[in-house]
Amino acid sequence: MPSTQDAGKCMWARNLIYSRGYPRPVAGKLYLIGLGLNDEKDITLRGIDAIKDCDSVFAELYTSVLSESAIARLEAMTGKKIELLGREDVEGEKRIIEKADGGKAALLVAGDPMAATTHISLRLAAIDRGIETVIIHNSSVITAAAGALGLQHYKFGRTTSIAFPSGSFLPESAYDVLLENRKSGLHTLLLLDLRPDERMFMSANDGMAILLGIEKKRNGGAFTGRTTACVVACLGSEKPLTKAASVEQLLKEDFGPPPHSIVVPGKLHFMEEEALRKISGLPQ
Amino acid sequence: MPSTQDAGKCMWARNLIYSRGYPRPVAGKLYLIGLGLNDEKDITLRGIDAIKDCDSVFAELYTSVLSESAIARLEAMTGKKIELLGREDVEGEKRIIEKADGGKAALLVAGDPMAATTHISLRLAAIDRGIETVIIHNSSVITAAAGALGLQHYKFGRTTSIAFPSGSFLPESAYDVLLENRKSGLHTLLLLDLRPDERMFMSANDGMAILLGIEKKRNGGAFTGRTTACVVACLGSEKPLTKAASVEQLLKEDFGPPPHSIVVPGKLHFMEEEALRKISGLPQ
């Protein structure tokens, strides 16, 4: 079945729903385009086509480690100027909407464009103005970390993230989620905070130290030196790094450049255990 | 920082780990390449490069709705012959390993190549033979469904799937997961069974009917006609369909061509609720 026919079918279904009372977009188009995990080669062909279709292209790099030179190479590939937006660029959203209103604009986002909670407000603002929004999905650490380790997705509990301590305040929510998942025998993905514009990237070692600190206070047994954990780094590159061992052992390693993530496995299926041994060096 | 330098850094870290006792791949290369959600345009530039790098390319379509003509278009794009593997092709894994051993082979998989549990055994078999494995990640419904609906990932509990009833046996595991997530106020993604080689695709309506059947028996209150649920269809296409309403209302809809998935939201953040109203037509 050709792709255009597939698209036609979906369009038919969409129109059916519109006819039952959906607001129909009136003018302008906003693409939210995922750039995937690593560099400019992780964009999809659909993403390249969408950039070429636009009058104005923006990129936000403040939630990722994607480099400015990767963006420059995307500019060369597509022939479009790409404007970089900083975290402090509070006018950024407004500018994007202005360009999409009656025209075609794109925002490039590392990973999947809707995986972070940040961009839903932009999408809603566009919808409020009657602008059509199109999401070009891409890989996200949320799915990729489990796959890279050979762990099964349906055995993961909630995903959580470890934030940089703010002064003396140390949020314990990551520990709470981990504890709850462990009680149910589930795996946990722990994302690590990053602030690229301040060149701050939480390493796996930092993240583990924070969890051990909370464990010391809470004493719930969810994360000790003897807990088996996994670290993934450089996911999506030709040579990603995955390592599984006791937290004690992992703390002695240097996992190289960011971004890092931590996975704490729950109850392991034998195939998952075999994967951790063969792919990530889990000791017997 | 240029991409080659990034790769160099990651390689450095990987070599550091190898020197601490990892088995080092000796010969041959196996790429596991994700094709993303919709058609041949959802492959990444990295994926295209990998196909071009290979001597033998295989594709399995039995876990997706990807069409054979999309594969034909990938062949035209890359100049490589792509061999299709069926579900019953028990020799498929062996043939891929033979081609990768001392050579370069690729297996193309819809979505993210490691999101299904199916392909980890192939990867482990390759590692056993000293073949280097490279994963080219891509988007998966696991991440994309939440983003398309404007729901926050960290508020999802376990993902589950609804299987076709086998004779009179109706597994209730999907209901169990849903019930547990709802007790914790968490969202649930319910994937729906499909057997493309038999042209069987569970529709959202079928899935909801199965859950209502289990509810009738179990009476746990996790899924009734008054439960708010969401259906997503044609995710990743230009015109994906997302709809949020009571189960009773949703059962009256036709969501068009597969694949469909169901999301049952737990406790909604006000921004999530706004997204469901504006994007997916949730009634006030």
Side-chain angles (χ1 to χ4, degrees):
Chain A
M1 184 191 320
S3 145
T4 48
Q5 192 183 333
D6 295 353
K9 271 192 176 181
C10 287
M11 202 100 73
W12 163 83
R14 179 79 179 194
N15 287 338
L16 185 78
I17 297 290
Y18 278 142
S19 69
R20 293 181 190 169
Y22 264 59
R24 182 184 290 273
V26 284
K29 197 166 187 174
L30 171 64
Y31 291 100
L32 294 148
I33 303 176
L35 296 179
L37 293 169
N38 199 55
D39 64 22
E40 77 282 359
K41 286 189 183 167
D42 294 306
I43 193 169
T44 64
L45 303 181
R46 190 181 300 278
I48 293 282
D49 285 354
I51 293 178
K52 288 181 178 168
D53 186 43
C54 282
D55 317 306
S56 309
V57 185
F58 300 83
E60 72 90 335
L61 302 182
Y62 56 86
T63 56
S64 82
V65 297
L66 200 80
S67 65
E68 287 188 24
S69 57
I71 294 294
R73 288 189 295 271
L74 269 179
E75 286 184 324
M77 262 185 237
T78 57
K80 297 281 176 177
K81 177 91 194 80
I82 301 175
E83 186 182 332
L84 293 178
L85 299 174
R87 189 191 288 266
E88 303 304 323
D89 196 349
V90 289
E91 295 292 298
E93 189 168 300
K94 204 175 136 200
R95 284 221 306 291
I96 298 169
I97 295 287
E98 273 165 14
K99 294 292 186 183
D101 197 356
K104 290 176 183 172
L107 176 63
L108 311 184
V109 183
D112 183 85
M114 305 310 289
T117 52
T118 325
H119 302 297
I120 184 66
S121 71
L122 174 65
R123 190 175 176 206
L124 293 177
I127 290 170
D128 285 343
R129 292 273 280 264
I131 297 163
E132 182 187 355
T133 61
V134 176
I135 302 173
I136 316 271
H137 291 284
N138 208 319
S139 54
S140 160
V141 61
I142 293 171
T143 303
L149 288 163
L151 298 178
Q152 297 171 0
H153 283 89
Y154 69 88
K155 293 179 65 185
F156 274 73
R158 281 175 73 184
T159 294
T160 187
S161 49
I162 306 178
F164 285 119
S166 159
S168 64
F169 175 66
L170 185 63
E172 297 181 10
S173 55
Y175 185 90
D176 292 329
V177 171
L178 176 63
L179 185 64
E180 197 177 329
N181 286 343
R182 294 212 62 171
K183 279 180 187 164
S184 309
L186 300 175
H187 310 326
T188 307
L189 169 62
L190 298 119
L191 304 174
L192 305 176
D193 206 355
L194 74 177
R195 294 187 201 147
D197 32 8
E198 300 168 48
R199 304 199 66 73
M200 282 171 71
F201 304 94
M202 189 184 289
S203 71
N205 304 57
D206 295 339
M208 290 187 285
I210 289 174
L211 288 174
L212 286 174
I214 305 173
E215 174 66 47
K216 206 168 174 180
K217 184 178 155 195
R218 298 276 300 272
N219 216 11
F223 197 86
T224 72
R226 287 194 308 276
T227 302
T228 295
C230 313
V231 172
V232 296
C234 291
L235 219 56
S237 73
E238 271 274 311
K239 299 283 176 192
L241 186 156
T242 68
K243 176 84 183 164
S246 68
V247 169
E248 213 167 55
Q249 281 301 314
L250 290 173
L251 280 171
K252 293 176 191 159
E253 302 273 355
D254 175 351
F255 300 103
H260 301 173
S261 303
I262 299 170
V263 171
V264 180
K267 200 165 178 301
L268 289 167
H269 182 266
F270 76 91
M271 183 81 94
E272 293 180 310
E273 193 168 328
E274 188 185 340
L276 289 187
R277 292 196 200 290
K278 291 185 175 167
I279 299 167
S280 308
L282 180 70
Q284 287 289 343
Chain B
M1 188 190 318
S3 144
T4 48
Q5 193 183 332
D6 295 353
K9 270 193 175 178
C10 288
M11 201 99 74
W12 163 84
R14 179 77 178 193
N15 287 338
L16 185 78
I17 297 289
Y18 278 142
S19 69
R20 294 182 191 167
Y22 264 57
R24 182 184 289 275
V26 283
K29 198 166 185 173
L30 171 63
Y31 291 99
L32 294 148
I33 304 176
L35 296 179
L37 294 168
N38 200 54
D39 64 23
E40 77 282 0
K41 285 190 185 168
D42 293 306
I43 193 169
T44 64
L45 303 182
R46 190 181 301 279
I48 293 281
D49 286 353
I51 293 177
K52 289 182 178 167
D53 187 43
C54 283
D55 317 307
S56 309
V57 185
F58 300 84
E60 71 90 334
L61 302 182
Y62 56 87
T63 55
S64 83
V65 296
L66 199 80
S67 65
E68 287 189 24
S69 57
I71 293 295
R73 288 190 295 271
L74 268 180
E75 286 185 323
M77 262 186 238
T78 58
K80 297 281 175 178
K81 176 90 194 79
I82 301 174
E83 186 181 332
L84 292 179
L85 300 174
R87 190 191 288 265
E88 303 303 323
D89 196 348
V90 288
E91 295 293 298
E93 188 168 301
K94 204 175 135 200
R95 284 220 306 292
I96 298 170
I97 294 288
E98 273 165 15
K99 295 291 187 184
D101 196 356
K104 289 176 184 172
L107 176 63
L108 311 184
V109 183
D112 183 84
M114 305 309 290
T117 53
T118 324
H119 302 297
I120 184 68
S121 72
L122 174 64
R123 190 175 176 206
L124 293 177
I127 290 170
D128 285 342
R129 293 273 279 264
I131 297 163
E132 182 188 356
T133 61
V134 177
I135 303 172
I136 316 271
H137 291 285
N138 209 319
S139 53
S140 162
V141 61
I142 294 171
T143 304
L149 288 163
L151 299 178
Q152 297 171 359
H153 284 89
Y154 68 88
K155 292 178 67 185
F156 275 73
R158 281 175 74 185
T159 294
T160 187
S161 50
I162 306 179
F164 284 119
S166 158
S168 66
F169 175 67
L170 184 62
E172 296 181 9
S173 54
Y175 185 90
D176 291 330
V177 170
L178 176 62
L179 185 62
E180 197 177 330
N181 286 343
R182 295 212 61 173
K183 280 181 187 164
S184 309
L186 300 175
H187 311 326
T188 307
L189 169 62
L190 298 119
L191 304 173
L192 304 176
D193 207 356
L194 74 177
R195 295 186 200 147
D197 32 8
E198 299 167 49
R199 304 199 66 73
M200 283 172 71
F201 304 93
M202 189 184 290
S203 71
N205 304 55
D206 296 338
M208 289 187 287
I210 288 175
L211 289 174
L212 285 174
I214 305 173
E215 173 67 47
K216 207 168 173 181
K217 186 178 155 197
R218 298 276 299 273
N219 216 10
F223 196 87
T224 72
R226 286 194 309 275
T227 302
T228 296
C230 313
V231 171
V232 297
C234 291
L235 219 56
S237 73
E238 272 274 311
K239 300 282 177 193
L241 185 157
T242 68
K243 176 83 182 163
S246 68
V247 168
E248 213 167 55
Q249 281 301 314
L250 290 173
L251 279 170
K252 294 176 191 159
E253 302 273 354
D254 175 351
F255 301 103
H260 300 172
S261 304
I262 299 170
V263 170
V264 180
K267 198 164 179 302
L268 289 167
H269 181 267
F270 76 90
M271 182 81 93
E272 294 179 310
E273 194 168 329
E274 188 185 342
L276 289 186
R277 291 196 200 290
K278 291 185 175 167
I279 299 167
S280 308
L282 179 71
Q284 287 289 344

